[in-house]
Short mmCIF file of all heavy atoms in Angstrom, two decimals:
data_model
loop_
_atom_site.label_atom_id
_atom_site.label_comp_id
_atom_site.label_asym_id
_atom_site.label_seq_id
_atom_site.Cartn_x
_atom_site.Cartn_y
_atom_site.Cartn_z
N THR A 1275 143.64 154.13 131.48
CA THR A 1275 143.03 152.96 130.87
C THR A 1275 143.83 151.71 131.18
O THR A 1275 145.04 151.69 130.98
CB THR A 1275 142.92 153.12 129.34
OG1 THR A 1275 142.13 154.27 129.04
CG2 THR A 1275 142.29 151.89 128.70
N VAL A 1276 143.14 150.67 131.66
CA VAL A 1276 143.76 149.37 131.82
C VAL A 1276 143.38 148.53 130.61
O VAL A 1276 142.19 148.24 130.41
CB VAL A 1276 143.30 148.67 133.11
CG1 VAL A 1276 143.82 147.24 133.15
CG2 VAL A 1276 143.78 149.43 134.32
N PRO A 1277 144.33 148.17 129.75
CA PRO A 1277 143.97 147.38 128.57
C PRO A 1277 143.51 145.99 128.99
O PRO A 1277 143.88 145.50 130.06
CB PRO A 1277 145.29 147.32 127.79
CG PRO A 1277 146.35 147.49 128.82
CD PRO A 1277 145.77 148.42 129.85
N PRO A 1278 142.70 145.34 128.16
CA PRO A 1278 142.27 143.98 128.49
C PRO A 1278 143.47 143.04 128.62
O PRO A 1278 144.38 143.07 127.80
CB PRO A 1278 141.39 143.58 127.29
CG PRO A 1278 141.02 144.85 126.62
CD PRO A 1278 142.15 145.80 126.87
N GLN A 1279 143.48 142.27 129.68
CA GLN A 1279 144.45 141.20 129.80
C GLN A 1279 143.90 139.98 129.04
O GLN A 1279 142.69 139.87 128.83
CB GLN A 1279 144.70 140.86 131.27
CG GLN A 1279 145.24 142.03 132.07
CD GLN A 1279 146.62 142.47 131.58
OE1 GLN A 1279 147.55 141.68 131.50
NE2 GLN A 1279 146.74 143.74 131.24
N TRP A 1280 144.75 139.07 128.65
CA TRP A 1280 144.28 137.95 127.85
C TRP A 1280 145.19 136.74 128.02
O TRP A 1280 146.32 136.86 128.47
CB TRP A 1280 144.20 138.34 126.37
CG TRP A 1280 145.49 138.88 125.82
CD1 TRP A 1280 145.90 140.20 125.81
CD2 TRP A 1280 146.58 138.15 125.25
NE1 TRP A 1280 147.15 140.31 125.28
CE2 TRP A 1280 147.60 139.07 124.90
CE3 TRP A 1280 146.79 136.79 124.98
CZ2 TRP A 1280 148.80 138.68 124.32
CZ3 TRP A 1280 147.99 136.40 124.40
CH2 TRP A 1280 148.98 137.34 124.07
N ALA A 1281 144.64 135.58 127.64
CA ALA A 1281 145.41 134.34 127.65
C ALA A 1281 144.88 133.43 126.57
O ALA A 1281 143.66 133.35 126.33
CB ALA A 1281 145.31 133.65 129.01
N ASP A 1282 145.78 132.74 125.88
CA ASP A 1282 145.41 131.74 124.88
C ASP A 1282 145.62 130.35 125.46
O ASP A 1282 146.71 130.03 125.96
CB ASP A 1282 146.28 131.88 123.62
CG ASP A 1282 145.98 133.15 122.84
OD1 ASP A 1282 144.92 133.75 123.08
OD2 ASP A 1282 146.81 133.54 121.99
N PHE A 1283 144.58 129.52 125.41
CA PHE A 1283 144.64 128.15 125.90
C PHE A 1283 144.58 127.16 124.74
O PHE A 1283 143.84 127.37 123.78
CB PHE A 1283 143.45 127.86 126.83
CG PHE A 1283 143.64 128.30 128.24
CD1 PHE A 1283 143.44 129.62 128.60
CD2 PHE A 1283 144.02 127.39 129.23
CE1 PHE A 1283 143.61 130.04 129.91
CE2 PHE A 1283 144.18 127.80 130.54
CZ PHE A 1283 143.98 129.12 130.89
N ARG A 1284 145.36 126.10 124.86
CA ARG A 1284 145.22 124.95 123.96
C ARG A 1284 144.47 123.87 124.73
O ARG A 1284 144.90 123.45 125.81
CB ARG A 1284 146.57 124.43 123.50
CG ARG A 1284 146.44 123.18 122.62
CD ARG A 1284 147.73 122.81 121.93
NE ARG A 1284 148.81 122.58 122.88
CZ ARG A 1284 150.08 122.35 122.51
NH1 ARG A 1284 150.39 122.35 121.22
NH2 ARG A 1284 151.01 122.14 123.41
N ILE A 1285 143.32 123.43 124.18
CA ILE A 1285 142.43 122.49 124.85
C ILE A 1285 142.38 121.20 124.03
O ILE A 1285 142.12 121.23 122.83
CB ILE A 1285 141.02 123.09 124.98
CG1 ILE A 1285 141.08 124.46 125.69
CG2 ILE A 1285 140.09 122.14 125.72
CD1 ILE A 1285 139.82 125.29 125.54
N THR A 1286 142.63 120.09 124.69
CA THR A 1286 142.60 118.79 124.03
C THR A 1286 141.36 118.03 124.50
O THR A 1286 141.12 117.93 125.71
CB THR A 1286 143.87 117.98 124.36
OG1 THR A 1286 145.01 118.75 123.97
CG2 THR A 1286 143.87 116.66 123.62
N ILE A 1287 140.59 117.50 123.54
CA ILE A 1287 139.31 116.85 123.85
C ILE A 1287 139.32 115.43 123.32
O ILE A 1287 139.58 115.19 122.14
CB ILE A 1287 138.14 117.63 123.22
CG1 ILE A 1287 138.18 119.10 123.66
CG2 ILE A 1287 136.81 117.00 123.58
CD1 ILE A 1287 138.02 120.07 122.55
N GLY A 1288 139.02 114.47 124.20
CA GLY A 1288 138.95 113.07 123.80
C GLY A 1288 137.68 112.77 123.04
O GLY A 1288 136.73 113.56 123.02
N GLN A 1289 137.63 111.60 122.40
CA GLN A 1289 136.47 111.24 121.59
C GLN A 1289 135.21 111.01 122.42
O GLN A 1289 134.11 110.98 121.88
CB GLN A 1289 136.79 110.01 120.74
CG GLN A 1289 137.81 110.31 119.65
CD GLN A 1289 137.97 109.17 118.67
OE1 GLN A 1289 137.23 108.19 118.70
NE2 GLN A 1289 138.93 109.29 117.77
N ASN A 1290 135.37 110.88 123.73
CA ASN A 1290 134.20 110.76 124.60
C ASN A 1290 133.63 112.13 124.98
O ASN A 1290 132.64 112.21 125.72
CB ASN A 1290 134.54 109.98 125.87
CG ASN A 1290 135.63 110.66 126.70
OD1 ASN A 1290 136.17 111.71 126.32
ND2 ASN A 1290 135.97 110.06 127.83
N GLY A 1291 134.24 113.20 124.49
CA GLY A 1291 133.74 114.54 124.76
C GLY A 1291 134.25 115.17 126.04
O GLY A 1291 133.82 116.26 126.41
N ARG A 1292 135.19 114.52 126.69
CA ARG A 1292 135.76 115.07 127.93
C ARG A 1292 137.10 115.74 127.64
O ARG A 1292 137.87 115.27 126.79
CB ARG A 1292 135.93 113.97 128.98
CG ARG A 1292 134.60 113.41 129.48
CD ARG A 1292 134.83 112.42 130.62
NE ARG A 1292 133.58 111.85 131.08
CZ ARG A 1292 132.78 112.41 132.00
NH1 ARG A 1292 133.13 113.57 132.53
NH2 ARG A 1292 131.67 111.82 132.37
N VAL A 1293 137.37 116.81 128.37
CA VAL A 1293 138.62 117.54 128.20
C VAL A 1293 139.76 116.74 128.81
O VAL A 1293 139.69 116.31 129.97
CB VAL A 1293 138.53 118.94 128.85
CG1 VAL A 1293 139.89 119.63 128.84
CG2 VAL A 1293 137.50 119.79 128.12
N GLU A 1294 140.80 116.54 128.04
CA GLU A 1294 141.97 115.79 128.51
C GLU A 1294 143.05 116.71 129.07
O GLU A 1294 143.78 116.32 129.99
CB GLU A 1294 142.53 114.93 127.38
CG GLU A 1294 141.56 113.84 126.93
CD GLU A 1294 142.17 112.93 125.87
OE1 GLU A 1294 143.29 113.24 125.38
OE2 GLU A 1294 141.53 111.92 125.53
N SER A 1295 143.18 117.92 128.51
CA SER A 1295 144.20 118.84 129.01
C SER A 1295 143.85 120.26 128.59
O SER A 1295 143.13 120.48 127.62
CB SER A 1295 145.59 118.47 128.48
OG SER A 1295 145.65 118.63 127.07
N ALA A 1296 144.38 121.23 129.35
CA ALA A 1296 144.21 122.65 129.03
C ALA A 1296 145.49 123.35 129.45
O ALA A 1296 145.82 123.40 130.64
CB ALA A 1296 143.01 123.24 129.77
#
Side-chain angles (χ1 to χ4, degrees):
T1275 300
V1276 172
Q1279 299 296 305
W1280 55 270
D1282 291 343
F1283 277 81
R1284 177 169 58 186
I1285 305 164
T1286 303
I1287 305 132
Q1289 291 190 7
N1290 61 358
R1292 293 185 182 275
V1293 173
E1294 295 184 352
S1295 65

